[in-house]
Each structure stands twice: as structure tokens, then as C-alpha cells.
Amino acid sequence: MQIDGSTRIVGVFGHPIAHTASPAMQNAAFDRLGMNWRYLAFDVDPDRLRGALGGIADLNFAGINLTVPHKILALDIVDEVDKQARQLGAVNTIIVDGHELRGFNTDGYGFVRGLREDFGVELRGRRVLILGAGGAGRALAIQSALDGAAAIFLANRTASKAFHVVGEIRKIVPHAFAVALPMQPAHIAKHLDEVDLVVNATSLGLKPGDPPPLKKFPRRCNWLRVYDTIYRPTETPLLSLARKAGAKTANGLSMLLHQGARSFELWTGRRAPVAVMRRALHKAVYG
Ligand code: ATR
């Protein structure tokens, strides 16, 4: 690894950030392509985000990724927001362009590529149940509508948030079929037979001992694909339940990989070495 007067700097701002696997993934890509670039992680307090983003423009960083809790806050800080980031309601990638900050969202792309890689499916024509209408759930529900999902059921513990996101979907994709639900077994069970993709975008499953956000899948549901945006642990209680019921399952590592690959391409203008990034990510996350 070389660091000298012409090393380009990119990185990630989050809070907390200690467990991020993105530096391993991105630096492996720079090494493979022999690029004099480095990716670093910064623990940035949300109260300091505006100042920190001003700093990256002044210090001539090439760009930055944003993760929890900065993705929504950044919308109002950057100088220009790309259309898709505006629609998804979050910025996770910034390009520094002179003194201007340009905001993008690569999470939606990562989700689409992840589904293609793990399940061989596209969102177009799918009937999707999304669990969670926080920042992640909202972005995935809107991406599903943008990509032409045939039906979107959005369930959230706080039902009002799901209704709000469905209202946004209707503004962005007026012909989309989208329904908000409370996260209650009776409401969800009614729709489980008629969807072909279930996506967990709640935080349930991150902590040991968390219950799954759904308690039951239909028996022998081999038509169902269940994607969990959580990737640590490898198999969340939801994925375990789904696998035992016969569904095809995948965790969020593919989404993390492909959002990172797209960020790499936005910053560098070069094609991301995805296989190298996947190996580095796997090693960083699972050892
Ligand atoms: P992110 O940006 O990762 O989506 P977030 O915006 O805080 O984070 O959203 C967390 C999601 O997990 C929300 O959908 C939240 O439901 P509420 O909107 O009702 O809070 C969901 N969630 C968190 N803990 C939960 C729990 N114990 N049961 C059900 N849903 C939960």
C-alpha cells in the first residue's frame, strides 16, 4: 500500500462506524487495479455532518459514502441531488466536483443487482412484500415501484409510516399498485400466498435473540423468495424460518457488494472489480 502526495481519498461517514466492511471491499478494488486511492471510515456525529461534508470539499476528497444515520440528512446538505436519490429519499454516495457536492443513491441499484445475483429475478412484474418502512424499507419500496413491480405490500410496526411511504410511491409512480399494512400476523398472512418476494428491511434480526418480523410462512412455499437486508448474522431468524418452510433465501451481502461497486464506479469512472470486492467483503464480514 502506498500513500503519498497524490493519494486520492474516499471513505464512509457513519455513527457508529467501527464494524463497517466497506474499507476492506473498496481498498481491495484499488489494490487490484493498482490505483493510488484509499478508502477510510469516519465516525461522524450527525450534528457535525454539515461541517464534515464541507471539509471533504475543502480537502479535495474524491467522494464519500454515507451510512446510518446520515443518508437522509445529507439530502439537504449537498449542492445537487441526482433524480433517483431524490426519489428514494436518501443519499448514500457523494461525488466531490470542485467545491460542489453531488449526491447519489446506489442502494436501490445494489438491491436490484443483489436480487438478480442471488435469485435470478428482476423486480418487474413481481409481487413484493416489504417488511419495514424506515429509511431502508422506503427506498426499497420506491425502487420496486420504479422497476415495475406488479404489487407492493408494505408492512410496518408503526402503520402510519407505511401509509406515508405508499403516498410517496403514488406520487412518483402513479400507476403503481401499493398497499400499506400494519405488521400484524393476521394482516400479513392474507398476502403471503399471493406474493413471490418477501424483503426484510426492519432491523429485527440484527441483535442476538431478536424474533423474526414474521412468525410463519405457508408450508412448502417453494415459490417464495425471501431476501433479508441484514447480512450479519448470515442467516437471520427470518431466513431460517423461510428456508425450513421451503423458500429460497438470501441475505443482504449482495446488496452491500453492489452498492459499493456502483459507488466505486461513480467516483473513479472505472469498472469495479466485483469478484475481488466480493471476496474481500466476505472475508471482512464472516472471517
Ligand atoms: P433503516 O434506515 O435501517 O431503515 P430505520 O429508519 O430506523 O432504519 O427503520 C427501522 C425499521 O425497523 C422500521 O421499519 C422499524 O419500525 P417502526 O417504524 O415501527 O419503528 C423497524 N423495527 C425496528 N424495531 C422493530 C421491532 N422490534 N418490531 C418491528 N419492527 C421494528
Side-chain angles (χ1 to χ4, degrees):
M1 179 185 65
Q2 145 197 13
I3 292 185
D4 59 25
S6 48
T7 303
R8 299 303 317 271
I9 300 294
V10 286
V12 57
F13 290 175
H15 184 70
I17 197 65
H19 296 291
T20 177
S22 291
M25 166 170 69
Q26 299 287 355
N27 288 320
F30 296 140
D31 288 345
R32 168 55 62 101
L33 298 185
M35 297 172 67
N36 187 8
W37 288 53
R38 284 291 113 189
Y39 185 104
L40 304 170
F42 300 90
D43 194 331
V44 175
D45 191 282
D47 290 342
R48 299 282 168 181
L49 182 63
R50 188 175 290 275
L53 288 177
I56 68 167
D58 292 344
L59 293 170
N60 196 26
F61 279 32
I64 206 85
N65 277 144
L66 300 169
T67 186
V68 178
H70 301 314
K71 293 185 198 185
I72 298 170
L73 297 170
L75 275 174
D76 293 328
I77 300 178
V78 296
D79 299 292
E80 194 185 303
V81 181
D82 154 84
K83 184 175 172 199
Q84 194 191 10
R86 167 94 45 219
Q87 288 175 326
L88 300 188
V91 167
N92 82 319
T93 305
I94 291 175
I95 295 181
V96 179
D97 185 4
H99 283 281
E100 305 268 281
L101 301 179
R102 293 166 53 206
F104 297 85
N105 186 303
T106 69
D107 287 331
Y109 170 88
F111 176 54
V112 169
R113 288 296 304 263
L115 292 179
R116 196 179 294 160
E117 178 172 302
D118 289 327
F119 296 141
V121 302
E122 305 293 325
L123 283 163
R124 173 161 300 283
R126 297 275 146 202
R127 303 175 63 84
V128 190
L129 167 63
I130 295 174
L131 307 171
R138 169 197 154 112
L140 302 189
I142 293 173
Q143 184 69 52
S144 301
L146 288 171
D147 275 23
I152 300 157
F153 300 95
L154 182 61
N156 202 49
R157 176 179 60 178
T158 313
S160 59
K161 277 203 220 167
F163 281 101
H164 179 76
V165 173
V166 163
E168 305 223 332
I169 291 176
R170 295 209 176 110
K171 275 190 240 155
I172 297 168
V173 188
H175 60 270
F177 179 85
V179 177
L181 306 169
M183 185 88 82
Q184 284 162 7
H187 286 273
I188 292 174
K190 265 202 297 208
H191 297 289
L192 265 180
D193 284 331
E194 47 173 334
V195 298
D196 38 39
L197 175 64
V198 176
V199 181
N200 178 39
T202 74
S203 47
L204 277 179
L206 269 175
K207 292 198 298 289
D210 272 353
L214 287 187
K215 307 286 175 281
K216 216 170 133 202
F217 284 95
R219 269 157 44 96
R220 287 195 276 282
C221 54
N222 60 1
W223 71 89
L224 206 55
R225 292 173 171 89
V226 181
Y227 190 87
D228 202 323
T229 59
I230 296 171
Y231 54 87
R232 198 163 19 203
T234 329
E235 188 177 67
T236 59
L238 179 77
L239 292 186
S240 165
L241 204 63
R243 177 175 52 78
K244 288 172 188 156
K248 295 187 184 70
T249 62
N251 73 24
L253 203 74
S254 54
M255 183 173 159
L256 180 66
L257 167 68
H258 288 290
Q259 65 75 32
R262 183 77 192 117
S263 295
F264 179 98
E265 291 175 351
L266 284 170
W267 293 322
T268 65
R270 296 184 64 170
R271 188 156 186 177
V274 173
V276 171
M277 295 174 83
R278 181 185 288 109
R279 271 199 299 280
L281 191 56
H282 224 272
K283 191 158 163 239
V285 174
Y286 304 126

